[in-house]
Amino acid sequence: KMKEKRHIFAWDLLLSVALGQVLSLLICGIGLTSKYLSEDFHANTPVFQSFLNYILLFLVYTTTLAVRQGEENLLAILKRRWWKYMILGIIDIEANYLVVKAYQYTTLTSVQLLDCFVIPVVILLSWFFLLVRYKAVHFIGIVVCILGMGCMAGADVLVGRQQGAGDLLVLGGATLYGISNVCEEYIVRNLSRVEFLGMIGLFGSFFSGIQL
């Protein structure tokens, strides 16, 4: 039984790492295309890019909730927690907006590195609100992360790059991403993944449509 548990744990760990790498690749693709749009086409569409994502979530997951029966139905969820998902939806929208907007003011490398500020934000919020307890190695990782961001900002100053506004936009977006991610983890653990994605699709489409 111990061997079976270790085998399952090993596969779960490998799957988590693999999915994480796929996610990193997709995020990198978003960064490249966002930078390409802002530099080569002078496109100023940070809200529109996110709006399409929310529409897709709405079409798939919000409609799934709409056809469900009982307490997991869309209307039943809205009656109980509509204002919480409204706030979460706005936070998620502005997080996407700030980071995509930053590509107009700073380099792709700066955005990708400074976006790692989401890690200490998530760990701090998870400690206080999800009651997750971390080991010393996790805090060492946070220190390395922050040092890396500091080195990146210092390098920009040394070479005379005037991109402070872009760096601040990334840090603001990363902070909001951290809040959104912690809320997402709580909802997925205690409620359901479909409910989270459906509600984000609903409120994300509505408020990003207004902002657009």
Side-chain angles (χ1 to χ4, degrees):
K1 290 183 178 180
M2 288 297 296
K3 288 184 178 180
E4 289 180 0
K5 289 182 178 179
R6 289 177 181 175
H7 182 71
I8 294 172
F9 176 76
W11 275 111
D12 287 344
L13 180 61
L14 288 173
L15 180 61
S16 298
V17 172
L19 290 174
Q21 295 308 304
V22 172
L23 179 60
S24 297
L25 183 63
L26 293 173
I27 292 173
C28 181
I30 292 171
L32 286 171
T33 52
S34 296
K35 191 64 177 175
Y36 183 70
L37 286 169
S38 64
E39 282 193 350
D40 291 16
F41 291 94
H42 305 288
N44 183 18
T45 58
V47 181
F48 182 68
Q49 289 174 242
S50 302
F51 179 68
L52 295 175
N53 293 332
Y54 293 123
I55 288 295
L56 289 173
L57 289 175
F58 177 87
L59 292 175
V60 176
Y61 291 100
T62 309
T63 53
T64 299
L65 292 177
V67 298
R68 281 184 171 181
Q69 301 297 322
E71 292 298 309
E72 294 185 350
N73 179 263
L74 176 63
L75 293 178
I77 294 171
L78 286 173
K79 287 179 181 178
R80 295 194 304 271
R81 294 182 283 271
W82 68 270
W83 63 272
K84 296 179 181 178
Y85 284 117
M86 181 184 71
I87 295 172
L88 181 56
I90 293 173
I91 290 172
D92 199 71
I93 291 166
E94 300 312 321
N96 287 315
Y97 170 78
L98 291 175
V99 172
V100 176
K101 185 72 175 177
Y103 286 103
Q104 299 176 24
Y105 300 99
T106 187
T107 63
L108 176 62
T109 307
S110 292
V111 173
Q112 294 295 305
L113 285 176
L114 292 174
D115 198 32
C116 292
F117 185 66
V118 71
I119 297 172
V121 173
V122 165
I123 288 181
L124 184 64
L125 293 176
S126 297
W127 180 282
F128 285 105
F129 296 104
L130 300 184
L131 303 179
V132 178
R133 294 296 175 256
Y134 297 96
K135 297 181 179 179
V137 65
H138 295 107
F139 293 103
I140 293 171
I142 293 175
V143 172
V144 173
C145 175
I146 294 174
L147 286 174
M149 292 186 296
C151 290
M152 187 69 212
D156 290 337
V157 172
L158 289 174
V159 299
R161 291 178 184 157
Q162 300 297 322
Q163 51 188 44
D167 292 347
L168 288 175
L169 286 173
V170 179
L171 291 175
T175 301
L176 294 179
Y177 271 139
I179 297 171
S180 176
N181 289 345
V182 171
C183 293
E184 177 182 353
E185 181 176 352
Y186 176 83
I187 294 169
V188 170
R189 282 185 177 184
N190 295 280
L191 299 171
S192 77
R193 174 177 57 87
V194 175
E195 178 176 329
F196 171 79
L197 293 174
M199 291 295 102
I200 285 293
L202 175 62
F203 287 103
S205 299
F206 180 75
F207 287 109
S208 62
I210 293 174
Q211 187 171 344
L212 179 62

